[in-house]
Amino acid sequence: MKIRIRGLEFSYNSIPALKKVTIDIHESEMVAIVGPNGSGKSTLLKCIDRILKPKKGVILINGKDIKDFNRIEIARTIGYVPQSVKQFFPATVFEVVLMGRRPYLGWRCSRKDIEKVFDVLKTLNIENISMRDFNELSGGQQQKVLIARALAQEPEILLLDEPTANLDIKHQLEVMEIIRRIVRKNGITAIVAIHDLNLASRYADRIVMMKDGKVFAAGTPEDVLTSANIESVYDVKVRIIKLSGRLYVIPLDPSKSSIDRL
């Protein structure tokens, strides 16, 4: 499913967060949105999901303006995974994932809904915790459950806001592997806002680098993750190396300008 974003603008209390953002995202690809805190990554995802209403610009999904989608169409087309859920009312993992079937539910759950939930739980290898309370899970387990809830919607677009935040390295790799596998297997489009440039380089087909609410660079990891781009956007000097066909970003000493501001 192709996404075209043209001239997108959004402000929080008159403070610009997105400034004329223009991006093309192709179907069946995994795109990483990177950039410093406050660069507009999360805001962009929320505008795509219509959680936030842009001040200007247009978002087209397969040529249709997202403004013309009703809430059911949005829910059946887009699955959104927030960065975290600090508090959740008491519910089992199964019940949380079943919430993802709401766009399809009538007065009661069908057999198809139940089978879909079990299928998603199995895909993420969390069927063994299906009856546990969501609030009692570790951060990594909760993140998997939130992804499972989004997948239960059977979306064609998956939006993930910092899916590896606060996870140890094992769970970071596991979550990113799951997302990439789902993109490949189901042919969906995934847009991932992420801080870790090495994870972005490892898993994304394309990277969009943002700075101050604008698109600074967009393209393949090799095109975007250059030492010049990273220094310009993050004010950090890095060395880019390539091992076994993969790019790695290695920070060097902090820039003198950064030290002077401390």
Side-chain angles (χ1 to χ4, degrees):
M1 180 159 283
K2 186 172 183 179
I3 305 171
R4 299 187 69 189
I5 300 172
R6 293 290 181 270
L8 203 66
E9 297 186 18
F10 182 85
S11 298
Y12 293 101
N13 297 323
S14 300
I15 300 175
L18 296 177
K19 306 171 186 176
K20 298 182 179 179
V21 171
T22 294
I23 307 172
D24 281 332
I25 298 174
H26 307 293
E27 59 183 305
S28 304
E29 73 173 357
M30 184 170 173
V31 176
I33 310 294
V34 304
N37 289 334
S39 59
K41 302 185 300 296
S42 296
T43 301
L44 177 58
L45 294 188
K46 291 176 181 178
C47 285
I48 295 173
D49 195 40
R50 265 183 52 184
I51 295 172
L52 298 176
K53 183 179 179 181
K55 180 180 179 181
K56 292 182 180 178
V58 63
I59 300 173
L60 302 174
I61 297 180
N62 277 357
K64 182 178 179 179
D65 195 324
I66 199 170
K67 294 177 183 177
D68 297 329
F69 283 65
N70 60 42
R71 290 312 305 177
I72 294 296
E73 289 176 308
I74 290 288
R76 290 182 177 181
T77 304
I78 301 174
Y80 173 71
V81 182
Q83 186 174 140
S84 64
V85 177
K86 294 183 179 180
Q87 190 63 39
F88 213 97
F89 61 84
T92 66
V93 167
F94 184 89
E95 290 169 334
V96 172
V97 178
L98 184 60
M99 293 176 191
R101 297 300 298 167
R102 287 187 62 188
Y104 305 95
L105 293 177
W107 289 103
R108 59 192 305 175
C109 298
S110 69
R111 181 172 181 174
K112 179 182 178 181
D113 295 318
I114 301 299
E115 289 176 348
K116 184 61 183 180
V117 171
F118 276 119
D119 180 57
V120 171
L121 291 172
K122 185 176 181 180
T123 297
L124 275 76
N125 196 29
I126 54 176
E127 68 268 33
N128 61 318
I129 62 171
S130 61
M131 291 298 106
R132 287 187 57 186
D133 190 313
F134 176 83
N135 294 315
E136 296 176 356
L137 302 180
S138 68
Q141 290 173 321
Q142 287 187 344
Q143 196 63 41
K144 286 185 181 180
V145 174
L146 294 177
I147 294 172
R149 182 180 64 173
L151 291 177
Q153 296 174 220
E154 299 183 86
E156 296 179 77
I157 299 168
L158 189 61
L159 307 177
L160 303 106
D161 191 0
E162 296 292 345
T164 60
N166 303 316
L167 301 184
D168 59 47
I169 188 170
K170 176 183 177 181
H171 285 103
Q172 288 179 6
L173 293 172
E174 190 173 10
V175 165
M176 293 299 286
E177 286 284 353
I178 288 170
I179 296 167
R180 185 169 66 176
R181 186 170 71 245
I182 290 167
V183 168
R184 299 290 186 265
K185 180 181 177 181
N186 298 356
I188 68 175
T189 299
I191 307 174
V192 185
I194 190 168
H195 275 297
D196 193 311
L197 299 182
N198 286 313
L199 286 177
S201 172
R202 182 183 182 112
Y203 292 103
D205 299 305
R206 291 196 304 125
I207 295 176
V208 175
M209 181 177 284
M210 299 188 67
K211 179 182 180 181
D212 298 330
K214 299 178 181 179
V215 174
F216 183 86
T220 65
E222 289 81 5
D223 292 335
V224 175
L225 296 181
T226 66
S227 56
N229 282 349
I230 293 171
E231 183 174 357
S232 295
V233 171
Y234 292 90
D235 195 21
V236 173
K237 292 184 180 296
V238 301
R239 176 178 297 166
I240 307 297
I241 63 173
K242 195 168 187 178
L243 293 174
S244 302
R246 288 177 177 162
L247 290 181
Y248 293 90
V249 179
I250 302 177
L252 302 178
D253 291 335
S255 66
K256 186 176 185 301
S257 59
S258 295
I259 295 175
D260 290 342
R261 288 196 296 268
L262 293 178

